[in-house]
Amino acid sequence: MTECYAYLSRALPDLDPLMLSKIIVNSRGFNETYGITGVLLYDGVTFYQYIEGPAEPLADARQRIEASRHHSDIRVLLDGTPRTPGAFPTWSLGYLMLDEPAHTLRAFVMPADHAALVAAFAALAEKSDAM
């Protein structure tokens, strides 16, 4: 069964870009191994992430995310079964640096509407430089 998890969190002010790159590389490896796909957006202050995949590996990924010392104030937007799986099927973890804060994502509160949240992530991804 496919599950999804989306959140926003505040990056710690001293987050080193090299450390962020290492986290992304490690996460991509984990995600590719376990069939997790999704996108991570970052505006220099706030992380926005949507991931989906098999329930057990996704639970492991969520635990790793929530235990990370590189961000705080995690606000869960979605946690459960996606209405329509396969939102970002070609990205084990697409990373996109936003030019400005993603106010459209901050407007979502729990429980978020899956389709609207995925559409907001996709719209922001189209406006950003993929890395």
Side-chain angles (χ1 to χ4, degrees):
M1 173 184 264
T2 298
E3 297 289 321
C4 67
Y5 175 64
Y7 70 91
L8 59 87
S9 66
R10 183 163 301 284
L12 295 185
D14 61 350
L15 180 61
D16 176 33
L18 182 58
M19 179 54 67
L20 178 57
S21 294
K22 288 179 182 179
I23 292 168
I24 292 166
V25 168
N26 289 337
S27 297
R28 283 178 176 160
F30 179 89
N31 291 358
E32 285 176 12
T33 299
Y34 295 102
I36 295 172
T37 59
V39 61
L40 173 66
L41 308 174
Y42 180 51
D43 65 12
V45 176
T46 304
F47 289 110
Y48 310 85
Q49 187 170 27
Y50 176 89
I51 55 175
E52 62 182 35
E56 207 170 301
L58 193 75
D60 290 345
R62 178 182 177 162
Q63 183 178 8
R64 291 164 48 131
I65 289 166
E66 292 179 354
S68 174
R69 302 176 316 238
H70 303 289
H71 63 152
S72 63
D73 302 324
I74 296 172
R75 188 168 127 205
V76 177
L77 301 172
L78 287 172
D79 183 20
T81 305
R83 187 177 307 156
T84 307
F88 300 97
T90 61
W91 287 349
S92 61
L93 183 61
Y95 172 68
L96 306 161
M97 183 71 181
L98 301 174
D99 296 332
E100 57 188 49
H103 299 292
T104 57
L105 290 179
R106 288 190 181 144
F108 288 97
V109 295
M110 188 62 180
D113 176 75
H114 179 266
L117 186 64
V118 167
F121 269 96
L124 289 167
E126 286 178 11
K127 296 179 187 176
S128 302
D129 294 325
M131 297 168 69

